[in-house]
Amino acid sequence: MKLHKILKRKGYLIVKMKRLKTNHFMVKVKINGKKGNFILDTGASSSCVDVTDALKFGLTTNSSKTLATGAGATNMETEESTQNSISLGKWKYKNFHLVLFDLSHVKSALLQHGEPDIDGIIGADILQKGKAIIDYNKNRLFLKKLVYKF
């Protein structure tokens, strides 16, 4: 039996990914109903949005004492935004917390390789919440459907 059929029976949803020339995966994401391009980063602890895209996604931000480190940059000031909705394909998560900081160094590196502009990064917080399984050969991300109790 094929992997996607087994996972579908277990309640997983398929998210298509695009492999970039840099070997990163890009996924289409909606935050608060607004579309964006995000890089999938299994090494990032938190999902984040470029601080310049806060208005684009309708994010209400608060200052944060956390300093961000990654992709060659250290001690970057951050902001945070809570109570957001995020969806990757048909997978949805409500009341989502995002970190915002300057991603210009990441954007610049991708643009130098002729890759499209990105709005943010999907990190381990989403991957853990969705019990993620990555199919590197077929460029697919599987996330387990969340069930909300009202």
Side-chain angles (χ1 to χ4, degrees):
M1 183 175 275
K2 302 237 179 215
L3 176 65
H4 72 276
K5 289 185 179 183
I6 294 169
L7 292 175
K8 186 175 181 179
R9 276 206 250 158
K10 298 276 186 189
Y12 279 82
L13 300 168
I14 297 173
V15 178
K16 294 178 183 176
M17 302 187 299
K18 178 182 177 186
R19 186 184 302 266
L20 303 178
K21 292 178 225 162
T22 58
N23 244 355
H24 292 94
F25 283 115
M26 186 175 70
V27 292
K28 301 281 184 187
V29 174
K30 280 187 185 176
I31 296 178
N32 300 327
K34 309 292 189 231
K35 294 179 184 179
N37 293 323
F38 283 62
I39 294 295
L40 184 74
D41 186 349
T42 60
S45 58
S46 300
S47 295
C48 56
V49 169
D50 186 84
V51 72
T52 62
D53 289 325
L55 286 176
K56 173 181 178 176
F57 294 110
L59 302 175
T60 303
T61 62
N62 301 305
S63 61
S64 171
K65 293 180 182 177
T66 304
L67 295 176
T69 302
T74 59
N75 296 325
M76 294 178 288
E77 291 185 13
T78 65
E79 295 178 25
E80 62 183 356
S81 180
T82 58
Q83 300 180 1
N84 299 291
S85 66
I86 186 168
S87 60
L88 288 81
K90 293 182 180 179
W91 188 86
K92 293 175 178 38
Y93 181 23
K94 300 173 187 173
N95 200 15
F96 180 59
H97 175 269
L98 279 165
V99 174
L100 291 92
F101 67 100
D102 181 3
L103 289 174
S104 60
H105 59 290
V106 176
K107 292 176 164 223
S108 176
L110 290 169
L111 290 172
Q112 284 178 8
H113 287 92
E115 298 296 359
D117 195 20
I118 61 150
D119 301 297
I121 296 169
I122 296 297
D125 51 353
I126 289 289
L127 300 176
Q128 288 174 331
K129 189 73 174 175
K131 299 180 181 176
I133 297 171
I134 299 171
D135 183 342
Y136 286 93
N137 286 336
K138 302 242 172 139
N139 300 336
R140 294 189 290 198
L141 170 67
F142 296 90
L143 296 171
K144 188 154 186 154
K145 185 176 181 178
L146 297 173
V147 178
Y148 290 95
K149 296 177 182 166
F150 297 98

